[in-house]
Amino acid sequence: MAGSEGAIMTMRSQHSASRVADHAKDRPHVSHLGTSALLFEAPGAFDLQNQRRIWALGHKAQGWPDVREAVPGMTNLLLTFKTPPRHIEALATALLEAWESGDEWTVQAKTFDIPVTYGGKDGPDLHHMAEHTGLSIDDVVRIHTGIPYTVFALGSHPGYGYLGIVDPRLAIPRRKVPRVSVPAGSVSIGGMQTGVSASPGPSGWHTIGRATMSFFDPTLPEPALLSPGDIVRFHVERIIP
């Protein structure tokens, strides 16, 4: 379900996750994106159960006539169409009705063990994370590597996985000034989420380390290493004070 529209989702995914985390909506909302797309935004908590409902909704909508792609984001779903639909309101109603069914989609997840070098030039925000949380650097790393993370959605750039949910002790607002560029493999935390960059680029999250694995290869049949529902476990390769 992820594809070229992943980039379209980026800002909406980030803003939606932040908004839902702070102010849970009471009801789902469907909005038009021009004449060729619909955005469904889910109500309720930012958690795995709600995200499984998003996956189920996307899986169902992908088979509807005229739907070109159903792209799950963080607590939202983007539908793009082959041609502008004549009855877009009927599609919006169908989305709402499908959501109310309460179906959840549990995928056959792959598990990835990812070695990370924490700190140093590859983790320029590790010291700030420790200062902000009142934890030691070792504790930040220990807590970050202490639990598995689920890939909630792909977005931001090809192959990037939004992972959740971090231990509350590590939750931190996004950087006030984004970094112009972080290298591929950068492991970062923003809000309740963590993630690992698939390619070099800007980031408003706090970069605490770097993995050397490749997360996106356009020459492969399946270019993105991660998929929604996969499990990621970080472990320490080394810590640079």
Side-chain angles (χ1 to χ4, degrees), residues 186-202:
S186 292
V187 177
S188 306
I189 296 177
M192 301 166 62
Q193 299 170 264
T194 187
V196 56
S197 298
S199 61

PDB file of all heavy atoms in Angstrom, residues 186-202:
ATOM      1  N   SER A 186      20.154   7.188  10.310  1.00  0.00           N
ATOM      2  CA  SER A 186      20.040   7.950  11.548  1.00  0.00           C
ATOM      3  C   SER A 186      18.831   7.477  12.350  1.00  0.00           C
ATOM      4  O   SER A 186      17.721   7.355  11.822  1.00  0.00           O
ATOM      5  CB  SER A 186      19.915   9.439  11.248  1.00  0.00           C
ATOM      6  OG  SER A 186      21.122   9.940  10.711  1.00  0.00           O
ATOM      7  N   VAL A 187      19.050   7.220  13.638  1.00  0.00           N
ATOM      8  CA  VAL A 187      17.990   6.793  14.546  1.00  0.00           C
ATOM      9  C   VAL A 187      17.592   7.994  15.392  1.00  0.00           C
ATOM     10  O   VAL A 187      18.432   8.611  16.046  1.00  0.00           O
ATOM     11  CB  VAL A 187      18.476   5.635  15.438  1.00  0.00           C
ATOM     12  CG1 VAL A 187      17.395   5.241  16.444  1.00  0.00           C
ATOM     13  CG2 VAL A 187      18.871   4.446  14.589  1.00  0.00           C
ATOM     14  N   SER A 188      16.307   8.321  15.367  1.00  0.00           N
ATOM     15  CA  SER A 188      15.845   9.556  15.989  1.00  0.00           C
ATOM     16  C   SER A 188      14.585   9.319  16.793  1.00  0.00           C
ATOM     17  O   SER A 188      13.885   8.311  16.617  1.00  0.00           O
ATOM     18  CB  SER A 188      15.581  10.628  14.908  1.00  0.00           C
ATOM     19  OG  SER A 188      16.718  10.820  14.092  1.00  0.00           O
ATOM     20  N   ILE A 189      14.284  10.288  17.672  1.00  0.00           N
ATOM     21  CA  ILE A 189      13.059  10.272  18.475  1.00  0.00           C
ATOM     22  C   ILE A 189      12.356  11.608  18.310  1.00  0.00           C
ATOM     23  O   ILE A 189      12.985  12.670  18.355  1.00  0.00           O
ATOM     24  CB  ILE A 189      13.361  10.035  19.967  1.00  0.00           C
ATOM     25  CG1 ILE A 189      13.987   8.659  20.179  1.00  0.00           C
ATOM     26  CG2 ILE A 189      12.087  10.164  20.815  1.00  0.00           C
ATOM     27  CD1 ILE A 189      14.390   8.386  21.625  1.00  0.00           C
ATOM     28  N   GLY A 190      11.033  11.544  18.113  1.00  0.00           N
ATOM     29  CA  GLY A 190      10.214  12.747  18.047  1.00  0.00           C
ATOM     30  C   GLY A 190       8.857  12.471  18.648  1.00  0.00           C
ATOM     31  O   GLY A 190       8.137  11.576  18.182  1.00  0.00           O
ATOM     32  N   GLY A 191       8.494  13.192  19.704  1.00  0.00           N
ATOM     33  CA  GLY A 191       7.221  12.933  20.362  1.00  0.00           C
ATOM     34  C   GLY A 191       7.206  11.539  20.958  1.00  0.00           C
ATOM     35  O   GLY A 191       8.114  11.145  21.701  1.00  0.00           O
ATOM     36  N   MET A 192       6.177  10.757  20.605  1.00  0.00           N
ATOM     37  CA  MET A 192       6.020   9.395  21.118  1.00  0.00           C
ATOM     38  C   MET A 192       6.623   8.352  20.185  1.00  0.00           C
ATOM     39  O   MET A 192       6.457   7.155  20.411  1.00  0.00           O
ATOM     40  CB  MET A 192       4.527   9.093  21.291  1.00  0.00           C
ATOM     41  CG  MET A 192       3.805  10.027  22.238  1.00  0.00           C
ATOM     42  SD  MET A 192       2.008   9.871  22.086  1.00  0.00           S
ATOM     43  CE  MET A 192       1.772   8.166  22.574  1.00  0.00           C
ATOM     44  N   GLN A 193       7.296   8.809  19.127  1.00  0.00           N
ATOM     45  CA  GLN A 193       7.761   7.889  18.106  1.00  0.00           C
ATOM     46  C   GLN A 193       9.283   7.883  17.988  1.00  0.00           C
ATOM     47  O   GLN A 193       9.968   8.823  18.400  1.00  0.00           O
ATOM     48  CB  GLN A 193       7.166   8.269  16.742  1.00  0.00           C
ATOM     49  CG  GLN A 193       5.660   8.222  16.693  1.00  0.00           C
ATOM     50  CD  GLN A 193       5.160   8.827  15.405  1.00  0.00           C
ATOM     51  OE1 GLN A 193       4.800   9.992  15.338  1.00  0.00           O
ATOM     52  NE2 GLN A 193       5.160   8.025  14.364  1.00  0.00           N
ATOM     53  N   THR A 194       9.773   6.812  17.398  1.00  0.00           N
ATOM     54  CA  THR A 194      11.163   6.744  17.001  1.00  0.00           C
ATOM     55  C   THR A 194      11.196   6.272  15.555  1.00  0.00           C
ATOM     56  O   THR A 194      10.179   5.833  15.009  1.00  0.00           O
ATOM     57  CB  THR A 194      11.972   5.805  17.925  1.00  0.00           C
ATOM     58  OG1 THR A 194      13.366   5.882  17.601  1.00  0.00           O
ATOM     59  CG2 THR A 194      11.512   4.369  17.807  1.00  0.00           C
ATOM     60  N   GLY A 195      12.339   6.380  14.918  1.00  0.00           N
ATOM     61  CA  GLY A 195      12.430   5.978  13.522  1.00  0.00           C
ATOM     62  C   GLY A 195      13.869   5.940  13.077  1.00  0.00           C
ATOM     63  O   GLY A 195      14.771   6.402  13.783  1.00  0.00           O
ATOM     64  N   VAL A 196      14.076   5.370  11.893  1.00  0.00           N
ATOM     65  CA  VAL A 196      15.421   5.280  11.338  1.00  0.00           C
ATOM     66  C   VAL A 196      15.368   5.731   9.883  1.00  0.00           C
ATOM     67  O   VAL A 196      14.550   5.251   9.102  1.00  0.00           O
ATOM     68  CB  VAL A 196      16.000   3.855  11.493  1.00  0.00           C
ATOM     69  CG1 VAL A 196      15.106   2.813  10.865  1.00  0.00           C
ATOM     70  CG2 VAL A 196      17.411   3.773  10.953  1.00  0.00           C
ATOM     71  N   SER A 197      16.220   6.696   9.525  1.00  0.00           N
ATOM     72  CA  SER A 197      16.194   7.301   8.195  1.00  0.00           C
ATOM     73  C   SER A 197      16.677   6.313   7.139  1.00  0.00           C
ATOM     74  O   SER A 197      17.671   5.602   7.335  1.00  0.00           O
ATOM     75  CB  SER A 197      17.070   8.560   8.154  1.00  0.00           C
ATOM     76  OG  SER A 197      16.581   9.536   9.046  1.00  0.00           O
ATOM     77  N   ALA A 198      15.965   6.298   6.011  1.00  0.00           N
ATOM     78  CA  ALA A 198      16.342   5.409   4.918  1.00  0.00           C
ATOM     79  C   ALA A 198      17.253   6.087   3.908  1.00  0.00           C
ATOM     80  O   ALA A 198      17.873   5.420   3.086  1.00  0.00           O
ATOM     81  CB  ALA A 198      15.089   4.885   4.223  1.00  0.00           C
ATOM     82  N   SER A 199      17.339   7.409   3.952  1.00  0.00           N
ATOM     83  CA  SER A 199      18.197   8.153   3.034  1.00  0.00           C
ATOM     84  C   SER A 199      18.569   9.477   3.694  1.00  0.00           C
ATOM     85  O   SER A 199      17.913   9.912   4.649  1.00  0.00           O
ATOM     86  CB  SER A 199      17.477   8.403   1.702  1.00  0.00           C
ATOM     87  OG  SER A 199      16.298   9.162   1.900  1.00  0.00           O
ATOM     88  N   PRO A 200      19.618  10.147   3.215  1.00  0.00           N
ATOM     89  CA  PRO A 200      19.989  11.437   3.803  1.00  0.00           C
ATOM     90  C   PRO A 200      18.885  12.470   3.579  1.00  0.00           C
ATOM     91  O   PRO A 200      18.193  12.454   2.559  1.00  0.00           O
ATOM     92  CB  PRO A 200      21.262  11.822   3.036  1.00  0.00           C
ATOM     93  CG  PRO A 200      21.738  10.576   2.377  1.00  0.00           C
ATOM     94  CD  PRO A 200      20.519   9.746   2.124  1.00  0.00           C
ATOM     95  N   GLY A 201      18.719  13.371   4.554  1.00  0.00           N
ATOM     96  CA  GLY A 201      17.718  14.414   4.398  1.00  0.00           C
ATOM     97  C   GLY A 201      17.477  15.159   5.687  1.00  0.00           C
ATOM     98  O   GLY A 201      18.039  14.830   6.732  1.00  0.00           O
ATOM     99  N   PRO A 202      16.624  16.196   5.628  1.00  0.00           N
ATOM    100  CA  PRO A 202      16.349  17.001   6.822  1.00  0.00           C
ATOM    101  C   PRO A 202      15.553  16.213   7.854  1.00  0.00           C
ATOM    102  O   PRO A 202      14.867  15.243   7.537  1.00  0.00           O
ATOM    103  CB  PRO A 202      15.533  18.168   6.259  1.00  0.00           C
ATOM    104  CG  PRO A 202      14.902  17.633   5.011  1.00  0.00           C
ATOM    105  CD  PRO A 202      15.885  16.662   4.444  1.00  0.00           C
TER     106      PRO A 202
END
